[in-house]
Amino acid sequence: KAGVTQTPRYLIKTRGQQVTLSCSPISGHRSVSWYQQTPGQGLQFLFEYFSETQRNKGNFPGRFSGRQFSNSRSEMNVSTLELGDSALYLCASSLTAGGWYEQYFGPGTRLTVT
Amino acid sequence: AQTVTQSQPEMSVQEAETVTLSCTYDTSESDYYLFWYKQPPSRQMILVIRQEAYKQQNATENRFSVNFQKAAKSFSLKISDSQLGDAAMYFCAYRSAMLNNAGNMLTFGGGTRLMVKP
């Protein structure tokens, strides 16, 4: 089985622009979660989608949004980029929401905002 | 809200020796899961070991084992016979198992960088 894939792997954007990151979960997985990883704040939960519905949302401003498609692929969007949005964005997929199921992480998208 | 604390930003161990990474957490919930994740320099996070809070028996996966002390809210990871490939960032994580909060949201600790000396 192919693992979790994230595109693009690297991205450089300018302040004020917007960006869309994509995550393709493992085939058959219906839950996708997103995390932001920075040296200062560590790993922080952004949101989780299950069957196209947002189940949980972390403490991030409304500039951060996401969605999930019927094939379970997920996208996250950050509008009006700020320098502090520079981070590694990780997505993780799981068979379902909750329970004992393992979450599998993708390689991440490294976003640099200049 | 739950918090996870890893008090050791860096640890080093000699190859073939044993090392223990510490993790404490704070929660008012009674049902939850605890995890240790490894993030090598290539950045792909992988699950090392997991523990269900209601199970008293400590989880073991080959050279990796945990010491789960529920009353003390402590969840340490022991790596035996350390190998060069064990060098990585290790993250302790918490996930609720409460029915009214079921989901996959993980709360991570700050991480411990493990160095393995040949």
Side-chain angles (χ1 to χ4, degrees), chain A residues 31 35 55 96 99-100 105, chain B residues 39 44 50 95 102 104 106:
Chain A
S31 170
Y35 295 86
R55 285 188 59 91
T96 186
W100 187 231
F105 282 82
Chain B
Q39 189 179 40
Q44 192 125 13
R50 53 187 167 179
R95 195 177 89 201
N104 290 331
L106 292 167

Side-chain angles (χ1 to χ4, degrees), chain B residues 5-12 19-23 36-39 77 86-92 109-115:
Chain B
T5 303
Q6 294 179 246
S7 59
Q8 307 150 316
E10 278 191 3
M11 293 278 288
S12 68
V19 65
T20 298
L21 309 184
S22 301
C23 172
W36 278 98
Y37 282 90
K38 170 185 177 182
Q39 189 179 40
L77 174 70
D86 294 334
M89 282 291 290
Y90 285 82
F91 293 96
C92 178
T112 296
R113 182 176 303 281
L114 178 66
M115 294 171 285

